Amino acid sequence: MKKMTITLGQRNYPITISSGLLNHFDSFEPLKKGDQGMLVTNQTLAPLYLSSIRTVLEQGGVRLDHIILPDGEKYKSLASIELIFSELLRKWHGRHTTLIALGGGVIGDLTGFAASCYQRGIRYIQIPTTLLAQVDASIGGKTAVNHQLGKNMIGAFYQPASVIIDIDCLSHLPMRQFSSGLAEIIKYGIAFDFNFFCWLEDNMDSLLRRDIDALSHCISRCCQIKSKIIMDDERDENGLRALLNLGHTYAHAIETETNYIFYLHGEAVSIGMLMAAQTAQKLGLFSRTDIIRIKKLLLRAKLPIQGFHQIDPKSCLLHMMHDKKVMNGKLRLIIPTAIGQSEIYEGIDNEIVLASIKETLMLSMNQ
Ligand code: NAD
Ligand code: MG
């Protein structure tokens, strides 16, 4: 078992990583006998895990209610938050109840946001079940729902009371979702940790076989990297946390341009990271050899390195100009300066960005 603590003054919390965690009541700290809880999950996960978790928690003396939401990003909405609130009120949950998020990033973000405002803030626990949520979404306390006019537009910084990462959950995860998580994992290597990138090159086959030891090492390394950044920049204020978004400004443009239909987030991030690397190369900051090295790893992770649905480079650039990081009409982008290193660059010429988008799409297609 691997355990680490996020240290944030009054809001410290543990992250526990192992296989079989959900079978033991002790894993569900800080829940204890006599506590009340509301588990939030979706229609895909409930048949897989709800009854066994209920048994473990009830044997431990927790009074558990649950709510099962429909599955999908479109349900990351204020309407779902209302459903959670109604269920909490109907079942007489007071300020001392605990919400338990069982699911991927959608359920985690929803539950965290509901916890941040129900009766001015109650405790919640994250049980991430996708690879992406285990290495990224469940840690760091960013919670949100989508608005018709924008993704993650309504939310709060609100840290969980613990994060329980049971690697066994990944055995049910569809391959495409698994690869989407691998994109964020590779991002940690490119943006922060050369040795981890090399480890990924050596161990990609084991990860794809979902080998427990390889997954355990990989997930805990990502959690360590993200934890350190959260501890230094909890509220995304000093630029450090922004580095976690390597490739994301490009990726969001791809997702918006294709209406969030054709690409999973990690797939868009895969292409976005290559576009960022291409921009870096044009600025003389990154070598072609390293771009090829990244491409090879992404391909092995079964991720796209080219658009597989029509993407218009100029519209992508326009979407990028609407990014939160744009200042005075100038793009601010996270750019890799070597494998394992990244920086925020301001005032990059739009023509360079446009050429990088075009060339990434075209170069890949010629391969
Ligand atoms: P998701 O929650 O939609 O899960 C993907 C799919 O996998 C869903 O259909 C889900 O039901 C299914 N699934 C989940 N676990 C499964 C399992 N063990 N077995 C079988 N199927 C399973 O998507 P995601 O990729 O986990 O998360 C994406 C969301 O996370 C986005 O809304 C994004 O904005 C958010 N996010 C938040 C943060 C943050 O810091 N808060 C960071 C990254 C992403
Ligand atoms: Mg991401």
Side-chain angles (χ1 to χ4, degrees):
M1 186 200 287
K2 296 198 161 67
K3 196 158 182 167
M4 62 194 82
T5 305
I6 303 240
T7 318
L8 293 166
Q10 301 290 305
R11 286 159 289 113
N12 292 355
Y13 59 96
I15 302 172
T16 315
I17 303 159
S18 187
S19 78
L21 281 176
L22 299 183
N23 303 324
H24 304 285
F25 183 66
D26 292 351
S27 314
F28 290 83
E29 66 171 308
L31 284 178
K32 56 180 190 328
K33 195 175 170 190
D35 280 349
Q36 193 181 15
M38 171 74 76
L39 187 141
V40 183
T41 191
N42 71 22
Q43 285 164 345
T44 306
L45 291 154
L48 295 173
Y49 304 110
L50 183 56
S51 82
S52 60
I53 293 182
R54 169 176 295 290
T55 306
V56 171
L57 289 182
E58 288 183 346
Q59 279 172 356
V62 171
R63 285 173 298 143
L64 190 72
D65 292 304
H66 67 260
I67 175 164
I68 301 174
L69 298 166
D71 187 357
E73 181 74 37
K74 74 171 169 179
Y75 299 101
K76 205 174 102 172
S77 62
L78 281 174
S80 297
I81 296 289
E82 277 226 50
L83 290 177
I84 298 173
F85 290 161
S86 300
E87 199 58 18
L88 284 164
L89 289 166
R90 251 199 301 274
K91 301 276 172 60
W92 301 100
H93 286 255
R95 284 181 51 222
H96 298 290
T97 194
T98 305
L99 287 186
I100 303 161
L102 173 74
V106 166
I107 290 291
D109 280 12
L110 259 175
T111 309
F113 183 53
S116 77
C117 34
Y118 184 70
Q119 303 203 2
R120 302 201 179 86
I122 56 172
R123 201 164 71 167
Y124 77 109
I125 293 174
Q126 288 276 18
I127 306 180
T129 60
T130 60
L131 186 57
L132 184 138
Q134 295 191 342
V135 297
D136 188 0
S138 65
I139 316 157
K142 276 192 179 175
T143 74
V145 295
N146 302 327
H147 186 276
Q148 260 184 340
L149 298 180
K151 197 167 146 39
N152 291 330
M153 281 299 141
I154 300 160
F157 284 98
Y158 196 64
Q159 301 291 345
S162 87
V163 183
I164 304 165
I165 301 179
D166 189 335
I167 296 165
D168 293 349
C169 290
L170 300 177
S171 60
H172 290 109
L173 194 67
M175 188 59 220
R176 215 178 141 196
Q177 293 288 349
F178 189 83
S179 288
S180 182
L182 286 174
E184 297 287 0
I185 288 169
I186 293 170
K187 174 199 75 182
Y188 286 112
I190 301 171
F192 303 104
D193 188 340
F194 175 71
N195 288 336
F196 181 53
F197 186 92
C198 299
W199 184 92
L200 288 170
E201 290 180 322
D202 294 341
N203 291 277
M204 187 49 74
D205 295 341
S206 310
L207 289 174
L208 290 169
R209 275 199 311 274
R210 307 199 192 182
D211 174 89
I212 293 285
D213 290 334
L215 280 169
S216 168
H217 174 82
C218 172
I219 294 167
S220 44
R221 184 68 200 120
C222 296
C223 290
Q224 273 168 359
I225 296 173
K226 184 156 180 185
S227 307
K228 189 173 178 320
I229 290 168
I230 302 303
M231 291 189 281
D232 290 341
D233 184 17
E234 183 185 3
R235 298 180 77 89
D236 214 345
E237 283 162 345
N238 66 22
L240 204 55
R241 200 164 172 159
L243 297 180
L244 289 166
N245 282 337
L246 174 71
H248 278 59
T249 306
Y250 299 88
H252 291 151
I254 293 170
E255 290 175 299
T256 311
E257 176 62 13
T258 52
N259 291 322
Y260 290 88
I261 293 172
F262 297 98
Y263 296 87
L264 294 182
H265 177 65
E267 293 171 343
V269 168
S270 174
I271 302 169
M273 288 191 295
L274 286 171
M275 289 173 174
Q278 189 78 14
T279 304
Q281 201 224 339
K282 288 185 178 304
L283 295 170
L285 300 163
F286 204 75
S287 72
R288 175 127 303 272
T289 342
D290 280 347
I291 295 189
I292 291 168
R293 205 169 156 183
I294 293 173
K295 261 188 199 169
K296 278 189 179 153
L297 188 58
L298 292 170
L299 274 178
R300 283 178 65 205
K302 304 192 190 309
L303 284 159
I305 57 166
Q306 64 182 74
F308 54 84
H309 182 83
Q310 189 78 38
I311 301 172
D312 174 14
K314 280 198 178 129
S315 313
C316 270
L317 183 65
L318 275 178
H319 292 304
M320 289 173 76
M321 296 308 292
H322 289 120
D323 186 79
K324 288 194 281 275
K325 288 188 289 298
V326 168
M327 263 185 183
N328 305 326
K330 282 279 179 191
L331 281 168
R332 292 169 80 226
L333 291 169
I334 296 127
I335 295 293
T337 47
I339 293 182
Q341 233 175 285
S342 51
E343 281 174 35
I344 299 183
Y345 271 76
E346 298 187 10
I348 301 172
D349 190 341
N350 288 355
E351 288 306 315
I352 290 188
V353 176
L354 186 61
S356 309
I357 297 173
K358 277 186 190 159
E359 280 171 35
T360 304
L361 296 171
M362 271 169 41
L363 264 182
S364 313
M365 278 183 239
N366 290 339
Q367 275 181 350

